[in-house]
Amino acid sequence: MDSKSGTETPQESGVEFFFNSAPPLKDRDQISQKLEVFITKISRSSESGKPIRVVCVTSGGTTVPLEQRCVRYIDNFSSGNRGAASTEYFVKAGYAVIFVHRWGSCQPYCRYLPQDSFLDFFDIAENSTIKVCEPHGTVVKGAIRDYRKAVEEGFLLKLSFTTIFEYLQILQMVATSMRCLKSHGMFYLAAAVSDFYVPWENMAKHKIQSAEGPLDMRLTQVPKMLLVLRKDWAPAAFCISFKLETDPDILLQKADMAMRKYGMHVVVANELATYKREVSVVTSGEKTRVCSHGQDHDLEEELIDLLVARHSEHIKKPSGIDMNEAL
Amino acid sequence: MDSKSGTETPQESGVEFFFNSAPPLKDRDQISQKLEVFITKISRSSESGKPIRVVCVTSGGTTVPLEQRCVRYIDNFSSGNRGAASTEYFVKAGYAVIFVHRWGSCQPYCRYLPQDSFLDFFDIAENSTIKVCEPHGTVVKGAIRDYRKAVEEGFLLKLSFTTIFEYLQILQMVATSMRCLKSHGMFYLAAAVSDFYVPWENMAKHKIQSAEGPLDMRLTQVPKMLLVLRKDWAPAAFCISFKLETDPDILLQKADMAMRKYGMHVVVANELATYKREVSVVTSGEKTRVCSHGQDHDLEEELIDLLVARHSEHIKKPSGIDMNEAL
């Protein structure tokens, strides 16, 4: 199956239609430059002779605007906590992380600092320096120190999105710029991506008026980009996607289906009611449960350990790993 | 027109249906207690013999869940910047503020500290104290100082919401607890409230599946609570609502209509393209344009000045001001 062969599948024409009709990314040049600098710097560094691995962590939910001059949009629930926590553990494991996150969602090293009460953490001391209100001192200082270190050593690049249009365009840019890393690249797609959208052309230009009774809407399916990522954008990279369901009866079956259908190496299956305490790591042939050991323990610690090990196996395999091998 | 008279209008039965079918507020008792303490403390204080005025500022957008175990929701665009800025100017003008805001939206005294790069503002000094990276020192210290002062002197109470169900239940609680303040109470309703919602009973229990082609949705109109606020919850309070449109041709006409229909004392009209630089303050009989004088100037400074003056006139009027007078 080759997207350049002339006979396009409905899936492929959906992808093309999506990108052609999407409003162009405003800061494309700036993002492109940041990516180039980051990847070049990482490619030149190495840890005891081995090339440094790079993971693209996506995090938070994408929005779907309902109006071109957008007042209303559909959003996907996601605090971004998993992506932020995972980023910290990937950096700890020696990975360089491109953190593609929903603007305003949870940030790495900020997880213990509640967003809403940020000013409650600080006070002005008598000598007019800033002091951290106890008992938060250790946590806040640790967060600042770890964050600074990751950024200054070039192990963390943050890129933000809001809409589904921005998200998929940025993902494409990151993926194509990571292609040169071959199997040392990883995608950890934890963002909650909209399944339905309103194509830009069909969208109401102005705010939809509320005076005329109930509102009827028809939403189009977002094309499944996982397949394009695996086939075209970065075919040698190690790919992990996430599946969230509220109904436990269909979860593992859907995770398994996603793995086969989109050629993912791993699918992490979450159930809405328990996703903070437990996930299932689904690979072809096995399912591993990863659980949190208590309130103060991140399940991401064990999850990232497991994925790093799987990534090492992937790297050791003969090169030229492609979709067919995974399918 | 009396809601207790037995013959209900469709509007009134819509309100009743909304509250009866809404999922109950989780932290109702806690909110109720906070409100009681805040109002009691303010009622006992006074500034040179005059009672302290109280304003309920609502801020940020409300969400409409599309599933009971919510993965997707419709959201209204609003950074919460206007509500946050206005809160600061109300406190400066001597008002006690109940800041009812969307969780995670812009907070008073935080406006100059971008949410996404919070950790970029700080560093650890050699003596292991926290220092603010220049040139942000003055801004950050000022923010901490002003915020602390407002909270400690009892002039700021923050309550947060996410969904339309939470917002309207909290607004009802705040309004009925402010009723005792009579004309010294003010409502400054800057939140971007959803016009459409899915009643809880009609809502999909589980995550809507994406495999079955396009998604068709029918949304119900949210009943207009402004009328109930004016008539029943706090009839003597001074009420300001906001109107945001993307189409300048219908904006002033819609603002005027909102004023008459819901008995608002003032409607602040915003156009999406220019709302940061300019608003129109519409009262019965006059329209006043308020503009920002440059990038570093908040139009809220002048806006709040104007509204405080109108509120003073409202207080001076003979008591018993009710809907009929405003209509």
Side-chain angles (χ1 to χ4, degrees), chain A residues 72 195 209-210 221 254, chain B residues 72 195 209-210 221 254:
Chain A
R72 300 188 186 91
D195 292 312
Q209 293 300 314
S210 63
Q221 272 190 278
K254 293 212 72 168
Chain B
R72 300 189 186 89
D195 292 313
Q209 293 301 312
S210 63
Q221 272 191 278
K254 292 210 71 166

Side-chain angles (χ1 to χ4, degrees), chain B residues 245-258:
Chain B
E245 292 292 341
T246 58
D247 184 352
D249 295 342
I250 60 169
L251 176 59
L252 285 181
Q253 172 201 339
K254 292 210 71 166
D256 216 62
M257 205 171 74

Side-chain angles (χ1 to χ4, degrees), chain B residues 2 19 59 62 64 131 164 195 228 242 289 291 299 304:
Chain B
D2 179 354
F19 281 113
S59 188
T62 63
V64 167
K131 65 174 187 185
I164 180 78
D195 292 313
V228 191
F242 282 70
R289 269 178 60 188
C291 299
L299 72 77
I304 303 309

Side-chain angles (χ1 to χ4, degrees), chain A residues 117-134:
Chain A
S117 55
F118 150 54
L119 284 180
D120 287 320
F121 277 71
F122 297 103
D123 205 350
I124 307 287
E126 274 170 29
N127 61 357
S128 104
T129 57
I130 291 175
K131 65 173 188 184
V132 187
C133 308
E134 289 310 331

